[in-house]
Amino acid sequence: MLDIRFIRENPELVRENIKKKFQDAKLPLVDEVLELDEKKRAAITEASELRAQRNTLSKQVGMLMGQAKKDPSKLEEAEAIKAKVKAQAERLAELEKLEVEYEEKLHQDMLQIPNIIDPSVPIGPDDSYNVEVQRFGEPKTPDFEIPYHTEIMERFDGVDMDAAGRVSGAGFYYLLGDIARLHEGVLAYARDFMIDKGFTFCIPPFMIHGNVVEGVMSQTDMDAMMYKIEGEDLYLIGTSEHSMVGRFIGEILPEESLPQTLTSYSPCFRKEKGSHGIEERGVYRIHQFEKQEMIVVCKPEDSMKWYEQMWKWSVELFRSMDIPVRQLECCSGDLADLKVKSCDIEAWSPRQQKYFEVCSCSNLGDAQARRLRIRVKGADGRMYLPHTLNNTVVAPPRSGPRMEKGHLPFEDSTVAPSFSSAPSKPDISRVRSDESPSNPIGKFWSAATEVSIRSPVPELPRSSGEPGSEKRPPVPVISQRPGHSFTVAPRRQAAVSVERVSADSSGATRVLVPSASSAAVMPRMVCDFDPMTAIEPRILEGTTFKSITFNASCL
C-alpha cells in the first residue's frame, strides 16, 4: 500500500511499476484513486466550510432572536437563517456520508496497487523469469534410481498418507516414529540456529482477525491461502509472519527498540490454490505443515542490509546439513503486491535433478507498517514507518524431501543428519555400504536417521515379496550416550582398520574405515567428529578395531 501523497505526486511512476509487474488490468486504478482522492478532499473542504458557516449562522440566530423581543421584524430574519442552517446541515450530512464512501473505495483501490519494486528486481511476467544468482554446494546425482520421498519415509513406517486422506482429505499426513522425531529435530535445530544469531524465540497465536490479514497480505494472496473460521472474525495463519507482524498493529515503537529480531514457530494452514496446487502424492505442497520463521522490524535505511543477511542465514543453515542450495532472484511478476524485493532459496533434489523452494526471503518496505498503522518515534520526536522483512528458516516437511533424498549415497556413501543434544553443532554421520544389484534400498539406507541420540537404528522392514530382502546387508548400529562415548559397530563383528585420517575445512576429524573382509560382513564407514573431541589422528592410523569408539562428550 502506497502513500496517497506519493501516488498524487508520482502517478506515472506508479503506472510504470504496475506495467513492470505485468498487471495492466490495474492501470485504471491509478486514475480512479486520483479522482476519488480529489473528490474526498473536495468533500472535506466543503464540509469544513459548512461547519464554520454553521457556527457563524448559529450565533447570528441567537443574536436575532434576542433582538426580536424588541423588534419583531428580526424574528423573520432569524427564521430565514434557521432555514439556511438546516439546509446546510442536510448538505453536511450528505458530505460526511460521501467522505466515508470515498474513503472506503479509495482504501480498497489503494490496497490493490502494488508496492514499488526495487530497481534491482529482474523484470518478467512469472516465475519462469526468475534469475539464478549463485549456487552453494555441488549438486550430485547417484547412478541409481532414487525412490520418491514418501517411499523413503514409508520404509521407516514414518508416514501415513492414506489414513490422513480418509480423515482429512488430500493435502494432509500423519508423521510417525523416527520420521516424526526427525521432523521435530529439524525444527529444534532451526530454532536454536536463529537464537544463536541473536533472535528472540516466540510462539504466536495461530488465528488472527481479518484486519490483521488485510494488513499483512494482498486480497489475492488472502483468497488463495487463508482459511476463515465460519461465523468468527478469525483466520488460520498461513505463516507465523502474519501474527508476528500483526503483534505491532496500531503501536508506536520507540526507535531504540529497533531492530525487532524474532524467530517464531507455528503450524501453517494453506488452501494452496493457484499454479502450485496440492501435491496429491507427497508432502511438499500440503494444506498443513509446521515452520520456523524469522521476522525483522527495522529502520528503513537498514532493511536492505537485513535482507542480504537473512537469505544468507538460510544458505548457512542448509549447508550445515550438507544440502546443496541456490539463490533465485524473484522477478517482478512473481513478487506479491506488498513485496519490494524477494528471493527464494532452493534445495537440490537428486531424484528430480532440479531445485525446489525451501525458503523465501522478502523485504516488504513500509507496506505492512502502513496497513497496520505501525509507527516509530524517532529521537527527534518525528514519526515514521518502519520496514518489515520475513524469511523461512525451515519448513518441514517441505524441506524434508530435500533432506531425505539429498542425504543419499554418492560414490557408495550414505549421508544423513543426526541431531545431538546440542543442535547448534549437528553431527553428520556418513556410513558407506555396498548393495546388491537387486537391492537398491540397501544403498540409501541411512544409519544416522535417528533423532534421539539414545535410540539405535531400526531394522528395515522385510517382506517376502521384496527383491533381495534375503540378501540385505547388515545394518550398522549407531548409538550415543550423552557424556559417554560415540560408538559405531556392525551387527556382525569383524576387524577393521583406519585407512585415512584427515580434517575437512571446518576442522572436523574425518575417519575412513574400509572393510577388512567382505563388504557383506562389515560395511565401510566414514564418520565426522566434532573438532572439540579429544582425538589424536596419528594414533588412529593403522589401528585395528572390532568397533570404533571415540569420546564424544562434547557433542
Side-chain angles (χ1 to χ4, degrees), residues 426-430 486 488 498-513 525-541 545 548-552 554-555:
D427 166 37
I428 304 296
S429 296
R430 305 170 181 265
F486 181 81
V488 180
V498 175
E499 178 182 279
R500 181 175 70 253
V501 178
S502 62
D504 62 20
S505 58
S506 67
T509 303
R510 176 169 297 178
V511 184
L512 173 61
V513 184
M525 301 180 185
V526 177
C527 300
D528 289 348
F529 299 93
D530 189 286
M532 293 174 64
T533 306
I535 299 175
E536 286 289 339
R538 64 177 179 276
I539 296 177
L540 300 176
E541 295 190 16
F545 300 90
I548 310 163
T549 303
F550 296 103
N551 183 346
C554 63
L555 292 179

Side-chain angles (χ1 to χ4, degrees), residues 160-210:
D160 191 342
M161 304 289 290
D162 293 336
R166 294 191 299 271
V167 171
S168 306
F172 296 92
Y173 56 87
Y174 285 95
L175 295 183
L176 308 167
D178 284 339
I179 294 298
R181 294 161 71 193
L182 176 61
H183 173 276
E184 293 303 301
V186 171
L187 283 168
Y189 175 49
R191 175 201 65 206
D192 288 359
F193 179 90
M194 292 312 302
I195 291 173
D196 286 347
K197 302 300 182 185
F199 279 57
T200 299
F201 178 54
C202 180
I203 299 178
F206 302 154
M207 291 183 280
I208 54 178
H209 288 311

Side-chain angles (χ1 to χ4, degrees), residues 4 62 87 89 104 126 148 165 253 275 293 306 310 312 336 367 380-381 411 458 515 528:
I4 183 60
E104 289 179 353
D126 53 49
Y148 197 67
L253 305 176
S275 59
E293 187 85 357
W306 277 109
M310 289 166 74
K312 289 176 182 177
D380 58 357
E411 301 175 357
S515 173
D528 289 348

Side-chain angles (χ1 to χ4, degrees), residues 216-233:
V216 296
M217 65 196 312
S218 69
Q219 183 67 44
T220 301
D221 291 337
M222 181 175 73
D223 292 341
M225 178 189 295
M226 304 296 286
Y227 285 105
K228 189 179 188 305
I229 307 299
E230 186 175 355
E232 300 280 348
D233 179 27

Side-chain angles (χ1 to χ4, degrees), residues 36 98-109:
L36 288 167
L98 285 174
E99 281 182 45
V100 173
E101 291 177 1
Y102 293 150
E103 176 60 32
E104 289 179 353
K105 178 60 176 172
L106 183 62
H107 180 73
Q108 291 303 315
D109 283 356

Side-chain angles (χ1 to χ4, degrees), residues 138-432:
E138 181 182 354
K140 297 179 181 179
T141 303
D143 57 0
F144 59 88
E145 184 178 353
I146 300 175
Y148 197 67
H149 64 267
T150 50
E151 294 177 21
I152 300 175
M153 297 165 77
E154 286 165 358
R155 290 281 182 170
F156 293 90
D157 291 328
V159 67
D160 191 342
M161 304 289 290
D162 293 336
R166 294 191 299 271
V167 171
S168 306
F172 296 92
Y173 56 87
Y174 285 95
L175 295 183
L176 308 167
D178 284 339
I179 294 298
R181 294 161 71 193
L182 176 61
H183 173 276
E184 293 303 301
V186 171
L187 283 168
Y189 175 49
R191 175 201 65 206
D192 288 359
F193 179 90
M194 292 312 302
I195 291 173
D196 286 347
K197 302 300 182 185
F199 279 57
T200 299
F201 178 54
C202 180
I203 299 178
F206 302 154
M207 291 183 280
I208 54 178
H209 288 311
N211 63 329
V212 177
V213 177
E214 184 181 87
V216 296
M217 65 196 312
S218 69
Q219 183 67 44
T220 301
D221 291 337
M222 181 175 73
D223 292 341
M225 178 189 295
M226 304 296 286
Y227 285 105
K228 189 179 188 305
I229 307 299
E230 186 175 355
E232 300 280 348
D233 179 27
L234 287 172
Y235 292 79
L236 294 173
I237 61 173
T239 169
S240 59
E241 167 213 341
H242 298 158
S243 47
M244 290 301 295
V245 176
R247 177 187 174 203
F248 303 105
I249 185 171
E251 293 289 308
I252 298 176
L253 305 176
E255 191 174 55
E256 58 269 22
S257 71
L258 300 183
Q260 294 275 342
T261 54
L262 305 164
T263 182
S264 51
Y265 157 83
S266 77
C268 304
F269 307 92
R270 299 188 182 185
K271 293 178 182 177
E272 289 291 8
K273 289 183 178 180
S275 59
H276 295 300
I278 285 297
E279 184 182 26
E280 294 290 342
R281 184 182 174 196
V283 296
Y284 183 62
R285 290 207 176 272
I286 43 187
H287 289 309
Q288 172 191 321
F289 60 96
E290 294 174 74
K291 183 155 68 90
Q292 191 72 29
E293 187 85 357
M294 62 178 98
I295 298 96
V296 171
V297 181
C298 67
K299 297 177 183 179
E301 60 268 27
D302 295 335
S303 65
M304 278 304 174
K305 295 177 184 177
W306 277 109
Y307 172 81
E308 291 295 323
Q309 182 60 72
M310 289 166 74
W311 72 256
K312 289 176 182 177
W313 279 330
S314 293
V315 172
E316 181 183 343
L317 176 72
F318 277 84
R319 291 303 298 135
S320 75
M321 295 185 285
D322 207 25
I323 298 176
V325 294
R326 70 171 179 176
Q327 181 199 12
L328 200 67
E329 187 79 18
C330 295
C331 72
S332 56
D334 194 35
L335 287 182
D337 282 354
L338 274 67
K339 296 181 179 180
V340 172
K341 186 177 177 67
S342 183
C343 70
D344 292 339
I345 301 301
E346 298 187 331
W348 173 251
S349 170
R351 178 180 182 273
Q352 295 172 278
Q353 300 184 37
K354 62 179 182 179
Y355 289 89
F356 285 86
E357 177 195 334
V358 290
C359 301
S360 181
C361 181
S362 302
N363 184 340
L364 294 99
D366 63 11
Q368 289 179 328
R370 188 180 306 283
R371 287 170 171 236
L372 293 171
R373 306 178 312 283
I374 304 171
R375 293 172 292 168
V376 176
K377 186 174 183 179
D380 58 357
R382 181 179 62 92
M383 295 287 188
Y384 63 89
L385 299 175
H387 282 196
T388 60
L389 303 94
N390 65 79
N391 186 23
T392 313
V393 185
V394 71
R398 284 191 171 192
S399 56
R402 310 290 81 81
M403 292 178 58
E404 289 148 9
K405 293 187 289 189
H407 287 102
L408 295 184
F410 303 107
E411 301 175 357
D412 295 330
S413 67
T414 301
V415 184
S418 174
F419 297 93
S420 73
S421 57
S424 60
K425 292 185 178 180
D427 166 37
I428 304 296
S429 296
R430 305 170 181 265
V431 180
R432 299 192 170 198

